[in-house]
Amino acid sequence: MGNREALLAGARKCLLEKGYARTTARDIAGAAGVSLAAIGYHFKSTQALLNEALAETMAEWGDRLEESLAVDVSADAGPLARFEAAWTRILASFEADRPLWATQLELLGRIAADDGFKEQFAGGVREARMGMASLALGDASQAGERESWLAGSFYQALLTGVLAQYLMDPENALSGADLAEALRLVAGRPE
């Protein structure tokens, strides 16, 4: 493994252990077993290195999450059953990939303060929204563009809020069944 690859691996390790904001160039160089100067040589800045490591990490994580969300629900299951099954799996991933989920929330504050950072990750958010639309609707190809956008946006908004609650108070976190029951309550639909 060359210095560039070692730095990426070190940065990814630090992201999981320390988060984005608390990771320093020294942390990365130490984890990679290379000099501090190697960061500037290969990436120009620590931020550029962290951003690339973050993009790689999130892409791999997104693939794993997508696989785990392939919901095994019978073809005749209604939207609420699909909703509960999907959220049960999403919530399970909160614990399995807790450092990555925590990093997601950390990045929200950074995105609000850094337009360049926001632009870099806006495409990923749009892509995630469309993935969430498929999760919400089953076969999103049958829905219109607005319906897909609405369903994906709703799932993303719910995801952010539920994640924040989970990270703050995991002992009282909602389950997939709790979320489905809450949705029935607020929609005024007994089932």
Side-chain angles (χ1 to χ4, degrees):
M1 178 184 308
N3 283 354
R4 186 176 200 293
E5 294 79 16
L7 284 166
L8 280 167
R12 290 173 68 162
K13 180 178 189 287
C14 290
L15 280 170
L16 294 177
E17 291 175 357
K18 301 185 87 170
Y20 190 97
R22 291 187 323 264
T23 296
T24 66
R26 284 194 193 291
D27 295 332
I28 297 168
V34 302
S35 71
L36 278 170
I39 294 172
Y41 178 79
H42 290 285
F43 294 94
K44 307 294 183 231
S45 71
T46 304
Q47 183 177 356
L49 167 56
L50 279 171
N51 290 351
E52 189 169 331
L54 181 63
E56 284 183 7
T57 301
M58 292 303 184
E60 286 179 13
W61 170 65
D63 292 343
R64 279 196 328 269
L65 184 60
E66 190 176 326
E67 282 178 24
S68 74
L69 292 177
V71 180
D72 298 330
V73 180
S74 68
D76 61 340
L80 211 47
R82 271 197 324 275
F83 177 90
E84 182 176 336
W87 282 96
T88 297
R89 291 202 174 153
I90 290 170
L91 295 167
S93 79
F94 285 2
E95 189 57 38
D97 288 319
R98 186 182 181 96
L100 286 170
W101 284 110
T103 298
Q104 291 275 12
L105 278 190
E106 177 189 350
L107 294 175
L108 289 178
R110 183 162 182 78
I111 286 168
D114 184 336
D115 285 339
F117 199 74
K118 179 169 66 176
E119 287 177 27
Q120 180 180 355
F121 291 97
V125 169
R126 284 190 285 279
E127 189 177 312
R129 185 179 295 131
M130 294 317 294
M132 294 293 246
S134 294
L135 187 60
L137 301 172
D139 183 4
S141 68
Q142 302 299 317
E145 190 173 318
R146 177 160 172 76
E147 289 83 6
S148 293
W149 178 80
L150 285 169
S153 296
F154 173 73
Y155 264 51
Q156 283 241 222
L158 187 58
L159 176 71
T160 303
V162 171
L163 173 61
Q165 290 179 42
Y166 171 81
L167 290 173
M168 287 185 274
D169 188 13
E171 292 78 28
N172 292 300
L174 296 166
S175 68
D178 293 334
L179 288 169
E181 182 179 349
L183 187 58
R184 279 192 298 274
L185 288 169
V186 298
R189 290 186 49 210
E191 191 163 320

